[in-house]
Each structure stands twice: as structure tokens, then as C-alpha cells.
């Protein structure tokens, strides 16, 4: 068996198991793990230094997840799905949900209602419907493989999907969104990179949230991908108590550049149910962005974006487009229209 598959099998998947390694009472958390999936790879587990640290908070269930505040489908994605495996919001690009599981489960995940439940894993028929939809929709130039995490699929399954998409004449580029370089860097094998290389132009956006995730193993995984000619970007989520700090974000973005990964987006937390304890105010995010501008290279300055509720789409948050009235933010969009957004008061 491949080493990465073995490592995945050795993941911690219950709070009871975790209590064997750290001194805490797992009993109250059983209700959380029954509601949302739980998995930590050995690599990611080894990054935890103490209970409650930024790595722990990202992967260990928390009672606050049972708080029902928030929306089940915060981005209105279900309405934008012509077939169950495709989210088609912008004319020229579509998300293709090819996997129902991940190497590890993030407590702040916007799709936490879906990922990790076996019933949500796409069937072969649903994958075929997705490819047929993309093939029949000539406006789609950019296909984003997502999930779940596409890189937990076996090489052969992934290659079959890539080959089918690659041969659709109107598809110009393929992107993969994956947190595997962070949670399971051993998955980025030479064999995987050799296979991916055949489906250029290929972009991979990964998901580092904290400088402590920039391990030698993760750096080696990114180097293998970059050496295969895959363009690497990173999407960070701004998380209260984890990385909502100018020093931490600055260190993260500079460290990513050293790993040949360009910071692409800093996401404001959306309103997914069970994640509200991670949300910061937009004002905090803007302050962090402002702190980056001087000391950090333009290469390390991503767009700070918010995915507005109800399927309105991603909007860059720029101070010159925001007016504040109490806790309401009035955000002016590129087309001149405005939307209101209730910010957190910190
Ligand atoms: C974010 C997103 C994309 C990709 O958008 P880019 O800004 O091009 O990275 C595509 N479709 C949906 C539904 C999205 O949320
Ligand atoms: S890897 Fe991505 S899809 Fe999977 S749980 Fe984390 S944020 Fe969600």
C-alpha cells in the first residue's frame, strides 16, 4: 500500500482516541463528533503543541459547533447546481465536486454540512453527469476540482477525471483545490506529480492558515508540485484566535512565497452553521491587510474577499469601497450596486 494511504488509515477519528494523547475530557465532545466529521492525520496531529493552540483549534471538535446560529448553505450553492456535482455561479468557471471526503476535517469548513458523510460521496453516475454538463456548456473555460478534497482520490480515478475534462475543447485551464499539502504532504508523490503534469495548464490552490503548518514536509510537497510546472496559490481563511493577527498573517504569507506558493485569497469567514466562533469582524481583516502593505512584498498580498450570503459571489473587501454605519457595512460592488452586511462588533 502507498505510504500516504497507510498514513490516512492511521488518522485519529474519535475524541476518545485523541484523549489517549492529550489530557482532556472527551465526553462532552462526543455530541460534536456525532454531528460533524472528525479526522486528523498523523502529520497534522504532530503539529499540535498543546491543547487549544492554533493547530488544535482547526482540527479538534469544540462545543461551540453545536450552536445553531448561521446558515446551512451560506453561499446558496445548492441553487447554483445544475447537477449535484457542479456549482456554476460565474459564466466562465465552474466548481466540480469530485470528492466527498478530505484527508482531515477542518472545524471551520463552509461545506461542513456535506463533507465526510458517506452519502455525500459522488457516485460514478453523478461524476459522469458533471463531465457531461461541462462538455455541454461552452462558456466554461476554467474547471475547479473541489469537494471534499480531490487529492484523496486514488491516482487512477483522478487521472480519469482529468483526462476527460482536459479533452473538452472549450476548457482552457483546470484548477485543483486541496488542503492535502498541509494535512497529508506524503500524498504528493512523484507518481502523482508525473501524472498531473500531463494535464497542463494546471493550477493548484492549497490552504495554509498558520505559519506552523509550513513544515519541511509541506515545503517538499509544494516543491514537487512546482517542479512539475503546476502553478501554486494559497487560500487562507481568517480565523479568530488562530491567525487574526498581522504578525501571524505576515509570517504566513512570506513563508508561503519561500515555498513557491503565492497567496491568492484571504477569505473572510462566511456564515456556515457551527462555525460562528471563528468569525472576526471585517474591520479586523482590513486592519491586517493594511498592516501588510508596507512590510510585505506585493507578491504576498492576496485579495481579502467575502463570499456574500445568498449566492451573490465573492467580493474583494477594499477600504475605499466600504462605508460603515454602526455594525452595518455598506459595500460598493464593481458594478456600482451596493450590499449591506452586518459586521461583528469586536
Ligand atoms: C470562488 C469561486 C470560483 C472561483 O473564483 P475565482 O475568483 O476565479 O478564484 C468559482 N465558482 C464559485 C462558485 C466560487 O465560489
Ligand atoms: S479540507 Fe477543505 S473541504 Fe475539507 S474540511 Fe477542510 S476546508 Fe472543508
Amino acid at each position: 500500500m502507498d505510504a500516504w494511504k497507510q498514513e490516512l488509515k492511521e488518522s485519529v477519528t474519535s475524541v476518545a482516541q485523541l484523549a489517549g494523547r492529550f489530557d482532556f475530557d472527551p465526553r462532552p465532545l462526543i455530541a460534536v463528533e456525532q454531528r460533524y466529521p472528525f479526522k486528523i492525520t498523523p502529520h497534522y496531529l504532530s503539529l499540535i503543541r498543546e491543547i487549544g493552540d492554533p493547530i488544535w483549534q482547526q482540527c479538534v471538535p469544540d462545543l461551540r459547533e453545536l450552536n445553531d446560529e448561521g446558515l446551512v448553505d451560506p453561499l446558496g450553492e445548492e441553487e447554483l447546481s445544475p447537477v449535484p456535482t457542479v456549482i456554476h455561479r460565474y459564466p466562465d468557471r465552474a466548481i466540480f465536486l469530485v470528492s466527498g471526503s478530505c484527508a482531515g476535517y477542518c472545524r471551520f469548513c463552509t461545506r461542513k454540512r456535506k463533507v465526510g458523510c458517506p452519502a455525500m460521496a459522488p457516485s460514478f453516475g453523478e461524476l459522469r453527469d458533471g463531465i457531461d454538463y461541462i462538455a455541454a456548456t461552452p462558456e466554461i473555460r476554467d474547471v475547479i476540482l473541489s469537494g471534499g478534497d480531490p487529492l484523496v482520490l486514488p491516482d487512477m480515478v483522478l487521472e480519469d477525471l482529468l483526462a476527460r475534462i482536459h479533452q473538452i475543447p472549450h476548457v482552457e485551464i483546470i484548477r485543483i483545490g486541496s488542503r492535502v499539502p498541509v494535512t497529508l504532504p506524503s500524498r504528493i508523490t512523484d507518481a502523482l506529480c508525473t501524472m498531473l503534469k500531463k494535464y497542463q495548464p494546471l493550477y493548484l490552490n492549497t490552504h495554509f492558515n498558520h505559519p506552523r503548518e509550513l513544515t519541511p514536509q509541506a515545503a517538499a510537497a509544494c516543491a514537487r508540485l512546482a517542479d512539475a510546472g503546476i502553478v501554486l496559490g494559497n487560500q487562507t481563511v481568517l480565523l479568530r484566535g488562530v491567525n487574526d493577527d498581522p504578525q501571524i498573517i505576515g509570517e504566513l504569507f512570506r513563508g508561503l512565497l519561500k515555498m513557491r506558493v503565492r497567496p491568492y485569497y484571504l477569505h473572510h469567514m462566511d456564515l456556515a452553521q457551527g462555525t460562528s466562533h471563528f468569525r472576526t469582524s471585517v474591520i479586523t481583516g482590513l486592519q491586517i491587510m493594511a498592516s501588510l502593505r508596507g512590510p510585505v512584498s506585493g507578491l504576498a498580498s492576496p485579495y481579502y474577499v467575502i463570499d456574500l450570503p445568498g449566492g451573490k459571489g465573492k467580493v474583494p473587501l477594499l477600504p475605499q469601497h466600504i462605508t460603515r454605519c454602526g455594525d452595518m457595512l455598506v459595500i460598493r460592488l464593481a458594478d456600482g450596486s451596493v450590499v449591506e452586511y452586518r459586521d461583528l462588533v469586536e
Side-chain angles (χ1 to χ4, degrees):
M1 192 190 290
D2 293 325
W4 69 270
K5 289 186 181 155
Q6 187 60 37
E7 196 182 334
L8 253 191
K9 274 204 170 151
E10 289 163 9
S11 295
V12 168
T13 54
S14 75
V15 283
Q17 243 178 312
L18 190 66
R21 317 241 331 205
F22 296 92
D23 184 21
F24 72 101
D25 179 5
R27 281 166 300 181
L29 296 179
I30 289 171
V32 187
E33 83 180 3
Q34 282 168 349
R35 174 133 172 215
Y36 295 116
F38 174 47
K39 185 162 66 184
I40 312 176
T41 60
H43 174 74
Y44 205 67
L45 187 68
S46 76
L47 306 185
I48 298 176
R49 291 184 195 148
E50 58 188 20
I51 292 173
D53 77 7
I55 305 295
W56 173 283
Q57 286 187 61
Q58 290 186 70
C59 63
V60 178
D62 185 295
L63 275 180
R64 289 172 293 180
E65 293 174 43
L66 299 177
N67 177 343
D68 281 329
E69 206 176 280
L71 307 169
V72 174
D73 176 19
L75 311 181
E77 290 183 336
E78 318 266 90
E79 278 171 40
L80 301 166
S81 290
V83 295
T85 48
V86 173
I87 305 170
H88 192 189
R89 178 200 278 160
Y90 307 107
D92 66 331
R93 49 212 196 275
I95 295 183
F96 187 15
L97 302 170
V98 297
S99 160
S101 59
C102 303
Y105 293 107
C106 311
R107 309 323 299 174
F108 50 83
C109 179
T110 186
R111 301 211 182 103
K112 74 193 276 177
R113 74 187 187 282
K114 277 192 148 183
V115 294
C117 23
M120 288 301 175
S123 66
F124 280 110
E126 285 169 334
L127 291 174
R128 197 193 45 225
D129 291 347
I131 289 169
D132 289 348
Y133 175 80
I134 294 164
T137 313
E139 303 86 72
I140 299 177
R141 284 191 293 230
D142 176 351
V143 174
I144 303 161
L145 300 190
S146 180
D149 197 313
L151 295 188
V152 298
L153 297 174
D155 288 3
M156 264 174 52
V157 176
L158 188 62
E159 173 153 28
D160 182 61
L161 290 167
L162 286 169
R164 285 169 197 271
I165 298 165
H166 195 73
Q167 72 183 29
I168 299 173
H170 55 263
V171 174
E172 296 172 359
I173 65 168
I174 303 177
R175 295 194 240 178
I176 295 176
S178 174
R179 190 150 151 87
V180 151
V182 185
T183 51
L184 188 67
S186 60
R187 168 66 183 109
I188 311 297
T189 59
D190 288 332
L192 176 72
C193 294
T194 305
M195 183 276 279
L196 293 177
K197 208 176 168 162
K198 293 191 249 169
Y199 302 99
Q200 297 285 10
L202 189 61
Y203 291 73
L204 189 145
N205 270 343
T206 183
H207 182 170
F208 288 90
N209 287 330
H210 194 279
R212 271 176 40 199
E213 297 170 344
L214 307 175
T215 59
Q217 295 91 325
C222 291
R224 286 192 288 276
L225 289 165
D227 286 344
I230 296 159
V231 183
L232 299 176
N234 184 72
Q235 308 197 175
T236 294
V237 183
L238 184 62
L239 299 166
R240 171 189 291 274
V242 173
N243 63 10
D244 57 339
D245 174 280
Q247 241 93 46
I248 289 173
I249 290 285
E251 193 185 330
L252 173 65
F253 290 173
R254 286 191 307 271
L256 284 167
L257 282 189
K258 284 206 290 196
M259 286 170 38
R260 302 155 76 185
V261 180
R262 172 129 197 233
Y264 175 55
Y265 281 145
L266 174 65
H267 289 272
H268 188 71
M269 268 296 294
D270 59 42
L271 303 171
Q273 204 169 68
T275 65
S276 58
H277 53 293
F278 284 113
R279 206 139 58 88
T280 64
S281 71
V282 168
I283 304 300
T284 300
L286 289 174
Q287 283 165 348
I288 291 173
M289 290 304 295
S291 76
L292 294 179
R293 209 135 305 140
V296 174
S297 152
L299 272 176
S301 287
Y303 280 108
Y304 176 37
V305 292
I306 186 166
D307 220 321
L308 289 168
K312 291 210 186 74
K314 274 193 210 57
V315 172
L317 289 165
L318 298 165
Q320 62 270 32
H321 294 161
I322 297 178
T323 322
R324 194 176 171 187
C325 312
D327 62 348
M328 287 307 284
L329 300 180
V330 179
I331 305 170
R332 189 157 36 86
L333 307 184
D335 66 2
S337 64
V338 293
V339 288
E340 292 188 350
Y341 176 82
R342 186 174 299 283
D343 200 17
L344 275 184
V345 183
E346 290 192 286

